[in-house]
């Protein structure tokens, strides 16, 4: 048993710790606070403590547990809210009241709840790690697949049927090392990635129902995304939008060092929202990790790992999982704080030198994989990380190290947020390296032209930016009419397509078919109006066309209604432009080219 | 503040004094966070707290500053307790020092309980989502940056701007419509001047609010390190009023900039690796442990609403103090020097301002159905008007179209009529929204894309 020799904030130093291991979970002090060994020299251990340390004294004991920090995996995860070390917050509240006090513990998975286990293997079958032993209908949306744990292969001697608790053996397997009872619950150390067979390049989009994402800067199932931006620029709202509407099977939402009310927001609103594909409540596929800014920093550091381990576990069942981490900067700051207390040699801006490798390791746990198991099962973990750069300046270490890793960059712009252009994702600075990966998918589902329409739209906005530069120098008068027509169309693209108000009952979610339809209309308008302007029609006339208002109201149309009216709108657009052109007989210069 | 000497041990072994810290050696059994009483050779009693506890050594921060502490005769008493504050209804109507001692000449209040001043984090699963509209009577707040009960909404200001007037006006006018409920104000001054403190106290006295207020004052000439403690006492009192007594509490904290300076001083004295501009790397977390003490709790009647005030050094919103605050609070009200120069009061620029909890606090049954659209459109229109102003400054007014001109007029009227109002003017939410429509009516209807057509019909078209 060790003995405390020093306490400074969340860091405790203890002697007589011979025999302990790095990352071993320990019980600190008389109250048995939960801690983890993060440094060992000879018999002295440095421990980060997941709970408040005031009142702890040198001389108090430290007890090893022989186990690393681990999570419980099994039925009961869905709909739960945990702190960073997987303490179930609802259970804790029932136990000790509204404020989180230290020294309480509770099982992450309920022990006495019985789950209806449906076996999928027969007695006598040969199974390998990752095989599905059976299933539990955990929630309306999630069929929880109970897998043979990694490292176990052999013959099924016994398999259960019916209602069981998570610790009950639901199968017995004869392995090379003897008989093993397999319960529904697995324990897994959070800092170790769960194994799989093979990793593949993501090739299917993770659809979010957000136009700027799906159409402009798509993410892919198994991909990585960073969403950096100053305070109030819209990181949380956008991540929550993705958590709500993405076509993922499972959502793991990690609140790392952010606001209590935001977690409460999820808890209040998700159960009321319906998954557009199944009509079931969104909470039926969601797990929350909430370690808010005022909760102990060491647990914040751990929470990100707790979240990704849960995500991997569902991936292993063959599901597409989306994990949101809000905010990775607060996570990095937790590392910095602990590192500072350890008096480690600081790297850039005081962050520990291992910041870059920790970030890389974390995002590396994303991916589309072929899972363990003898059936061909594929699953994915998509990771979306918010980054909160000081002063909104992206040149800081967390941002820079993240951008080196992730494949999609949704750049939030405070200027856009200030004028309530939401989502404030900037169309010129953002990018997605998955455009080519998901192109085939779009082609198969929605026809040839997604990529070319998207490129045309982005080019138009690029052109707008150049023209705006000119206007800033010489005023709008100096522009010839066709260029003014570009500005008008670009404004339409921004306002009627890119802007998508998260709190609008209809527009909060826009299916891809509708996205593409909307984009077609805007681009038709664009081409036609530039053409008309070239033929001498003043932009002022074009602006009066009623189709402009029709386009402006598209986003409020429910998608079925839009689908019905789309053809009509396209027709109206052509007719109105034709009529307009007839008012001007004489074509000018090169105005003859076919539109 | 109180530190009963139950398990107290006394030492004469101060080994070192540096800045706000002192190191005591030869101690044993000192707890992290333990309260310390320091008796200087002159007999002055100071208070401190253990920041770093070793087997035989303790690093102590001294709230009253270390002046007068020597390494021979100074006695140090470790009290065996963490910092507690006596809470009770008798705190109302009283004025306390930054350490919680009464300074209004009255008796020591009788307390009902003693609470740890650091509080404990509210379990996120116990929170009630804040959604009750607080009418402040100020258009730019109620209309565009709505405050709700349990929110933390800071004022980002600058030296010489009327943030105190605004805070006092809000404290005076804030109400929840259609309700008669118990409320209280907790005022916490950190490093503010006598004049500022007197301004608030006088205002509270005149309006009778003082009876319902608990005032904590650490003035500019009080010890800087005490500032670390003062807001925690105030918030402990606020939590008691809200969650034990069921009151709706408005907490005004000013000036957070002074608080952060004190924190920086301690960090420097401990030779910690500094973060941006010398502030400690844990400034975010430290601020969060105060700001997150705002909120509502399921099944409890009361609420803690926070309005921290901070003056941005050099009016720079990217400075770590406003920056980290904005990353924690649920929005911000930004004061603008240009508006102030134009004589607009309150000089709140709505564009960088934000209320994140607005969405659930407004709308039918709370304010009015058209509130959200009205606000969004005012934002967009004012932003456009300001852009055009910048453009005119470069290329002149001749190049402008009719549409542009209307936007310019809109922006002017918006500042003068909507933002601008009297220091005692208490506008109802209807007045505010109607005023918004009146201004929007001056713009071409086709421009009003943020507004649902059904509201155009009902509210916009001339009546
Ligand atoms: N897509 C959106 N639709 C409507 N409003 C939005 C949208 N995105 C952001 N907002 C508005 O901006 C506010 C701030 O957004 P959000 O809380 O997501 O910012 P953030 O980047 O997470 O800030 P912080 O870093 O401080 O947490 C929201 O409360 C909301 O009012
Ligand atoms: Mg956020």
């Amino acid at each position: 048993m060790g003995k405390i020799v020093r306490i400074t904030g969340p860091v405790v130093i203890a002697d007589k710790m011979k025999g302990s291991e790095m990352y071993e979970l320990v019980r600190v002090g008389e109250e048995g606070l939960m801690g983890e060994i993060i440094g060992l020299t000879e018999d002295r251990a440095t421990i980060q403590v997941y709970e408040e340390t005031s009142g702890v004294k040198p001389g108090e004991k430290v007890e090893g547990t022989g186990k690393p920090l681990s999570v419980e995996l099994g039925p009961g995860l869905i709909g739960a809210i945990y702190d960073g070390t997987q303490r179930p917050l609802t259970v804790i509240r029932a136990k000790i009241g509204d404020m989180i006090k230290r020294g309480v513990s509770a099982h992450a998975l309920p022990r006495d709840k019985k789950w209806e286990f449906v076996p999928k293997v027969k007695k006598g079958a040969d199974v390998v790690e990752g095989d599905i032993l059976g299933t539990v209908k955990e929630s309306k949306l999630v069929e929880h697949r109970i897998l043979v744990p990694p490292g176990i292969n052999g013959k099924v001697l016994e398999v259960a049927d019916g209602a069981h608790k998570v610790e009950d053996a639901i199968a017995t397997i004869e392995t090379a090392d003897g008989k093993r009872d397999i319960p529904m619950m697995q324990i897994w150390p959070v800092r170790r990635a769960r194994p799989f067979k093979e990793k593949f390049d993501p090739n299917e989009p993770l659809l979010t129902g957000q136009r700027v994402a799906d159409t402009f800067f798509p993410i892919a199932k198994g991909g990585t995304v960073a969403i950096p931006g100053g305070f109030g620029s819209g990181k949380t709202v956008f991540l929550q939008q993705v958590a709500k509407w993405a076509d993922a099977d499972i959502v793991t939402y990690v609140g790392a060092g952010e606001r209590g009310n935001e977690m409460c927001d999820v808890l209040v609103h998700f159960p009321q929202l319906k998954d557009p594909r199944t009509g079931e409540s969104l909470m039926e596929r969601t797990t929350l990790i909430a370690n808010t800014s005022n909760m102990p920093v060491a647990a914040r550091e751990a929470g990100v790992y707790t979240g990704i381990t849960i995500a991997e576990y569902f991936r292993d069942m063959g599901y597409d999982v989306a994990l949101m981490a809000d905010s990775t900067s607060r996570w990095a700051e937790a590392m910095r704080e602990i590192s500072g207390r350890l008096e480690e040699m600081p790297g850039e801006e005081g962050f520990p030198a291992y910041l870059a490798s920790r970030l890389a390791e974390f995002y590396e746990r994303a991916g589309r994989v072929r899972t363990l198991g003898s059936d061909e099962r594929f699953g994915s973990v998509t990771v979306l990380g918010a980054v909160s750069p000081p002063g909104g300046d992206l040149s800081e270490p967390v941002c820079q190290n993240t951008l080196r890793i992730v494949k999609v960059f949704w750049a939030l712009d405070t200027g856009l947020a200030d004028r309530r252009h939401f989502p404030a994702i900037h169309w010129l600075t953002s990018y997605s390296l998955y455009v080519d990966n998901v192109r085939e998918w779009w082609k198969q589902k929605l026809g040839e032209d997604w990529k070319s329409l998207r490129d045309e739209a982005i080019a138009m906005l690029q052109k707008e930016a150049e023209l705006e530069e000119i206007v800033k120098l010489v005023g709008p008068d100096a522009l010839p009419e066709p260029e003014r027509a570009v500005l008008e169309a670009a404004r339409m693209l921004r306002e009627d397509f890119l802007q998508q108000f998260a709190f609008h009952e209809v527009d909060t979610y826009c299916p891809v078919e509708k996205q593409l339809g909307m984009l077609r209309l805007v681009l038709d308008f664009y081409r036609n109006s530039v053409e008309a302007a070239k033929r001498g029609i003043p932009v002022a006339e074009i602006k009066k066309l009623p189709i402009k208002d029709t386009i402006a109201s598209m986003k409020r149309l429910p998608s079925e209604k839009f689908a019905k009216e789309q053809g009509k709108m396209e027709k109206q657009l052509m007719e109105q432009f034709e009529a307009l052109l007839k008012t001007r007989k004489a074509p000018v210069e090169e105005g003859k080219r076919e539109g | 503040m109180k530190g009963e000497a139950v398990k107290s041990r006394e030492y004469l072994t101060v080994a070192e004094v540096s800045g706000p810290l002192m190191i005591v050696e030869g101690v044993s059994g000192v707890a992290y966070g333990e309260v310390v009483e320091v008796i200087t050779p002159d007999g002055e009693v100071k208070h401190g707290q253990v920041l770093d506890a070793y087997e035989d050594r303790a690093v102590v921060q001294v709230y009253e500053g270390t002046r007068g502490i020597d390494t021979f005769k100074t006695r140090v008493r470790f009290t065996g307790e963490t910092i507690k504050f006596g809470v009770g209804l008798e705190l109302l109507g009283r004025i306390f020092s930054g350490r919680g001692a009464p300074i209004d000449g009255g008796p020591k209040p009788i307390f009902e309980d003693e609470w740890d001043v650091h509080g404990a984090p509210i379990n996120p699963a116990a929170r009630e989502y804040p959604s009750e509209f607080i009418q402040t009577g100020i258009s730019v707040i109620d209309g565009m940056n709505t405050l709700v009960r349990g929110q933390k909404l800071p004022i980002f200001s600058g030296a010489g701007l009327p943030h105190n007037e605004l805070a006092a006006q809000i404290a005076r006018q804030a109400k929840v419509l259609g309700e008669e409920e118990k409320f209280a104000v907790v005022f916490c001054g950190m490093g503010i001047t006598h004049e500022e403190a007197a301004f608030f106290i006088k205002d509270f006295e005149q309006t009778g609010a003082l009876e319902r207020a608990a005032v904590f004052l650490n003035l500019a000439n009080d010890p800087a390190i005490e500032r670390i403690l003062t807001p925690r006492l105030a918030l402990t009192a606020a939590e008691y009023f809200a969650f034990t007594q069921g009151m709706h509490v408005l907490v005004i904290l000013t000036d957070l900039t002074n608080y952060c300076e004190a924190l920086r001083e301690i960090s420097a004295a401990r030779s910690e690796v500094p973060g941006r501009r010398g502030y400690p790397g844990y400034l975010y977390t430290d601020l969060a442990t105060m700001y997150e003490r705002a909120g509502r709790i399921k099944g409890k009647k009361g609420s803690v609403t926070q309005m921290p005030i901070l003056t941005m050094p050099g009016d720079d919103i990217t400075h770590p103090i406003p920056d980290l605050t904005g990353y924690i609070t649920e929005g911000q009200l930004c004061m603008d020097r240009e508006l102030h120069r134009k004589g607009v009061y309150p000089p709140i620029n709505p564009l960088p301002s934000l209320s994140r909890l607005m969405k659930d606090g407004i709308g039918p049954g709370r304010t009015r159905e058209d509130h959200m659209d009205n606000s969004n459109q005012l934002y967009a229109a004012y932003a456009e008007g300001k852009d055009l102003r910048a453009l005119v400054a470069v290329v002149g007014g001749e190049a402008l179209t009719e549409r542009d001109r209307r936007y310019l007029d809109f922006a002017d009227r918006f500042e003068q009529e909507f933002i601008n109002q009297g220091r005692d003017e208490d506008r109802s939410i209807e007045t505010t929204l109607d005023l918004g429509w009146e201004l929007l009516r001056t713009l071409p209807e086709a421009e009003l894309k943020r507004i649902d057509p059904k509201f155009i019909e009902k509210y916009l078209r001339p009546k």
Side-chain angles (χ1 to χ4, degrees), chain A residues 523-586:
Chain A
L523 290 174
D524 278 351
F525 182 90
Y526 164 56
R527 293 185 209 112
N528 278 290
S529 54
V530 172
E531 189 60 32
K534 281 185 182 157
R535 296 207 197 170
I537 311 266
V539 172
E541 297 286 307
I542 300 174
K543 278 169 74 175
K544 286 189 199 136
L545 293 179
I547 190 68
K548 251 197 100 204
D549 291 344
T550 314
I551 289 178
S553 62
M554 296 186 293
K555 51 168 93 161
R556 294 196 184 90
L557 288 183
S559 46
E560 314 81 55
K561 192 146 182 233
F562 177 82
K564 263 192 233 133
E565 296 197 359
Q566 187 182 347
K568 198 170 89 198
M569 290 194 265
E570 281 168 4
K571 199 160 144 253
Q572 282 170 356
L573 188 145
M574 295 323 267
E575 285 168 2
Q576 288 178 20
F577 270 102
E578 269 163 31
L580 189 63
L581 281 175
K582 281 203 191 102
T583 63
R584 229 28 75 102
K585 279 279 152 43

Side-chain angles (χ1 to χ4, degrees), chain A residues 231-237 258-259 422 501-503, chain B residues 326-327 356:
Chain A
F231 63 81
S233 56
K235 298 177 289 295
T236 304
V237 171
E258 294 284 313
R259 303 173 182 83
F422 289 124
F501 204 61
F503 313 124
Chain B
Y327 270 124
R356 296 167 197 250

Side-chain angles (χ1 to χ4, degrees), chain B residues 13 37 64 82 88-89 127 129 145 203 206-207 241 250 254 259 272 366 375 414 440 453:
Chain B
T13 44
E37 276 179 19
E64 292 87 345
T82 48
L89 284 176
R127 281 185 187 266
Y129 197 68
N145 296 287
D203 203 275
Q206 279 172 352
T207 57
F241 296 144
L250 175 68
T254 182
Y259 171 87
E272 290 170 338
R366 299 199 181 273
S375 160
F414 176 76
L440 290 174

Side-chain angles (χ1 to χ4, degrees), chain A residues 472-528:
Chain A
K472 269 192 205 127
L473 290 175
V474 293
D477 270 1
L479 289 186
E481 287 288 304
E483 303 204 318
R484 284 198 198 192
V486 175
L487 289 184
E488 277 306 318
R491 178 204 294 272
M492 176 184 277
L493 181 61
R494 285 186 284 109
E495 293 180 354
D496 301 335
F497 182 79
L498 288 178
Q499 283 183 10
Q500 188 174 358
F501 204 61
F503 313 124
H504 189 274
E505 51 183 336
V506 172
D507 207 30
T508 183
Y509 168 74
C510 182
V512 272
E513 296 77 13
K514 184 179 173 192
Q515 297 187 20
L516 205 58
M518 289 173 73
L519 186 63
R520 276 215 177 89
L521 274 158
V522 172
L523 290 174
D524 278 351
F525 182 90
Y526 164 56
R527 293 185 209 112
N528 278 290

